[in-house]
Amino acid sequence: MTSYDLILRGGRCVLPWGEAEANIGVRAGRIAAIGALGGATAEREIDCRGLHVLPGLIDPHVHLRDPGDPAVETIPTGTRAAVLGGIATVFDMPNTTPSITTQRALEEKRAYAQGKSWCDIGFYIGAGKSNIPKLAALELEPDVCAVKVFAGSSTGDLLVEDDASLERVMRSGRRRVCYHSEDEYRLQERKPLYAAGGPHRLHAEWRDVECAFLGTRRLMALARETGRPAHILHVSTAEELAYLRDFRDVATVEVLVNHLSQTDEAYDRLGGYAVMNPPIRDERHMRAAWAAVADGTVDCIGSDHAPHSRANKEKPWPATAAGLTGVQTLVPIMLDHVNAGRLSLGRMVDLMAAGPARVYGAVTKGRLAAGFDADFTIVDLRKTRTIEESWIVSPCGWTPFAGQSCTGWPVMTLVRGHLVMREDEILGEAIGAPALFH
């Protein structure tokens, strides 16, 4: 008789080859078997009948602001938000205070996260002009998901804006480099055109389509010249998405849930709580993003969870802090899109599990398959619930999706076989570990 540490019973499993009702046996934190498992026993069983079992979903783009301001977000609070929202792994950005640009800063963050993270975590290394010679070594640290380059300025002090320095970054190693792609020269040239106190929708006019598209064209030219693969983060324009289809040999693509879910009417409704970089744009760009999801141009969907205090979000534009919360609401919003018929559940899993694992080289993540980590996001596709700010656990306490009704909701999150969330309750201890990459 075969025995396991855990068996998930009777769920409809989203497997790499399709959906099937199956039992999943877990041993030592890994998936040991998938099938009928007749006669098998386990120390623990979870009844998943009537639910869908997904591979543990990954948010590859979060800013947990740690080190930084604990009144806004920390690794403990941000990863609690992640597992409450059905996320089993996050990749955390480096534009903290101080930035994660050195071996020492990485080691300190790694040590701090142990015993404090509720989900598994990967760390970005920030590229600055001073650390380019060290990037080739830093990117090979076992828990580093990627090098992050801000080619256009955003929150924090990291910026590599000129072609010569960007080329040096691209020639500094071998793994895929992740880019915030806006053209810094155009940003600064246009900044004086806008007076303080203007309407928040001017944010999308200042950081316009050409600002993003010019940045991406420059990066693709350098990627082709150097042969270094590039991952363009939060692609927000129809022009970029059409252009990037011709660069699939060197480029992968992320879009954000916001650019799939919100249009520029959000500025009138939300004010500063709609300000992010790159901006929320008009409906033409949202339609292009959905078309790119449908035709396979998009590899990953992320939240770009980037909390700020209410005081900083409510400053007059352009002093309004740019960035929106999202790690806790990503899965409900995307499940609602599934129920609305905008994409299949299988395609959602591809974009939020297998896709990030492939793009970043995450080892044993992203698939329901024997030998992979026993990370599971278990969802009830029939459950309808309204997103409320009282549910948000990030200390900043707000979400741009407050009041939105979602059909489809995460009801359990497991990390390496540990049940860490069930029906809004955080369980056990913070057992998150550094994710591994190749």
Side-chain angles (χ1 to χ4, degrees):
M1 184 178 295
T2 305
S3 64
Y4 300 98
D5 302 329
L6 169 69
I7 295 178
L8 305 185
R9 292 278 188 190
R12 186 155 186 85
C13 301
V14 181
L15 304 164
W17 45 90
E19 291 187 17
E21 288 190 9
N23 300 321
I24 301 177
V26 173
R27 192 181 294 123
R30 297 281 183 93
I31 297 172
I34 300 173
L37 308 188
T41 61
E43 297 176 14
R44 296 174 295 130
E45 294 195 2
I46 296 176
D47 184 358
C48 298
R49 287 174 296 178
L51 304 173
H52 282 73
V53 180
L54 318 182
L57 298 180
I58 299 168
D59 190 342
H61 192 156
V62 303
H63 299 260
L64 299 183
R65 305 296 195 212
D66 204 346
D69 183 358
V72 170
E73 190 69 285
T74 63
I75 285 175
T77 58
T79 57
R80 284 176 71 92
V83 299
L84 280 167
I87 298 293
T89 303
V90 297
F91 300 163
D92 187 33
M93 287 291 176
N95 54 328
T96 49
T97 307
S99 299
I100 308 303
T101 57
T102 65
Q103 181 78 32
R104 179 176 179 180
L106 174 64
E107 289 175 354
E108 288 175 351
K109 189 165 186 173
R110 178 193 294 136
Y112 167 78
Q114 288 282 4
K116 295 183 176 66
S117 178
W118 287 89
C119 62
D120 284 357
I121 187 168
F123 303 111
Y124 287 86
I125 285 288
K129 294 178 184 177
S130 62
N131 74 341
I132 292 174
K134 298 180 179 178
L135 291 177
L138 288 170
E139 73 170 8
L140 296 178
E141 287 287 319
D143 46 3
V144 168
C145 61
V147 170
K148 169 67 179 290
V149 178
F150 287 89
S153 54
S154 190
T155 302
D157 58 3
L158 293 173
L159 181 64
V160 183
E161 77 279 22
D162 62 285
D163 283 1
S165 297
L166 288 167
E167 182 174 348
R168 288 176 60 213
V169 170
M170 292 183 181
R171 296 190 185 279
S172 67
R174 62 170 178 80
R175 293 180 64 202
R176 193 174 299 276
V177 182
C178 297
Y179 293 95
H180 179 121
S181 175
E182 291 182 286
D183 187 82
E184 180 66 13
Y185 301 106
R186 184 173 175 84
L187 278 178
Q188 297 308 321
E189 176 186 308
R190 291 165 55 77
K191 194 172 185 178
L193 301 176
Y194 300 95
H200 290 97
R201 66 171 46 252
L202 289 177
H203 194 68
E205 183 179 306
W206 169 40
R207 305 180 88 109
D208 65 353
V209 170
E210 180 59 17
C211 178
F213 191 21
L214 178 57
T216 294
R217 294 198 305 270
R218 289 174 57 206
L219 289 170
M220 288 300 95
L222 289 167
R224 275 274 170 83
E225 181 180 341
T226 62
R228 184 74 179 271
H231 185 51
I232 307 300
L233 299 166
H234 43 49
V235 178
S236 63
T237 72
E239 285 78 358
E240 288 173 281
L241 290 164
Y243 184 77
L244 286 164
R245 291 187 183 102
D246 292 330
F247 289 87
R248 299 296 281 166
D249 54 321
V250 290
T252 48
V253 175
E254 174 196 81
V255 296
L256 300 183
V257 64
N258 305 82
H259 294 129
L260 293 168
S261 310
Q262 297 173 311
T263 62
D264 55 355
E265 64 81 26
Y267 295 112
D268 302 323
R269 183 167 50 86
L270 298 174
Y273 292 96
V275 172
M276 60 183 292
N277 298 332
I280 294 169
R281 305 193 190 275
D282 64 35
E283 190 173 343
R284 177 175 74 90
H285 300 289
M286 179 192 282
R287 288 197 304 267
W290 278 112
V293 166
D295 72 14
T297 299
V298 177
D299 299 278
C300 303
I301 288 175
S303 73
D304 195 0
H305 175 76
H308 294 277
S309 69
R310 289 186 183 272
N312 286 334
K313 291 300 288 181
E314 293 170 4
K315 288 180 178 178
W317 189 83
T320 314
L324 307 179
T325 62
V327 70
Q328 194 170 340
T329 53
L330 174 61
V331 176
I333 294 292
M334 290 307 302
L335 288 173
D336 192 62
H337 286 311
V338 169
N339 273 294
R342 298 185 185 99
L343 76 169
S344 67
L345 185 62
R347 179 65 171 134
M348 177 185 142
V349 166
D350 181 46
L351 290 162
M352 297 177 63
R358 174 179 57 82
V359 167
Y360 290 85
V363 176
T364 65
K365 298 289 187 188
R367 294 162 64 94
L368 294 186
F372 277 63
D373 287 356
D375 297 343
F376 307 104
T377 300
I378 301 176
V379 303
D380 184 346
L381 289 184
R382 298 167 298 182
K383 186 172 185 177
T384 297
R385 180 169 165 180
T386 298
I387 294 172
E388 300 173 348
E389 289 190 334
S390 60
W391 177 61
I392 300 299
V393 297
S394 297
C396 67
W398 56 268
T399 167
F401 294 109
Q404 180 161 333
S405 177
C406 296
T407 300
W409 201 269
V411 294
M412 285 181 267
T413 308
L414 288 87
V415 177
R416 286 174 286 102
H418 297 272
L419 183 61
V420 293
M421 185 280 289
R422 185 168 197 162
E423 298 288 358
D424 278 357
E425 184 181 358
I426 299 289
L427 302 171
E429 299 178 348
I431 52 81
L436 299 178
F437 303 89
H438 59 68

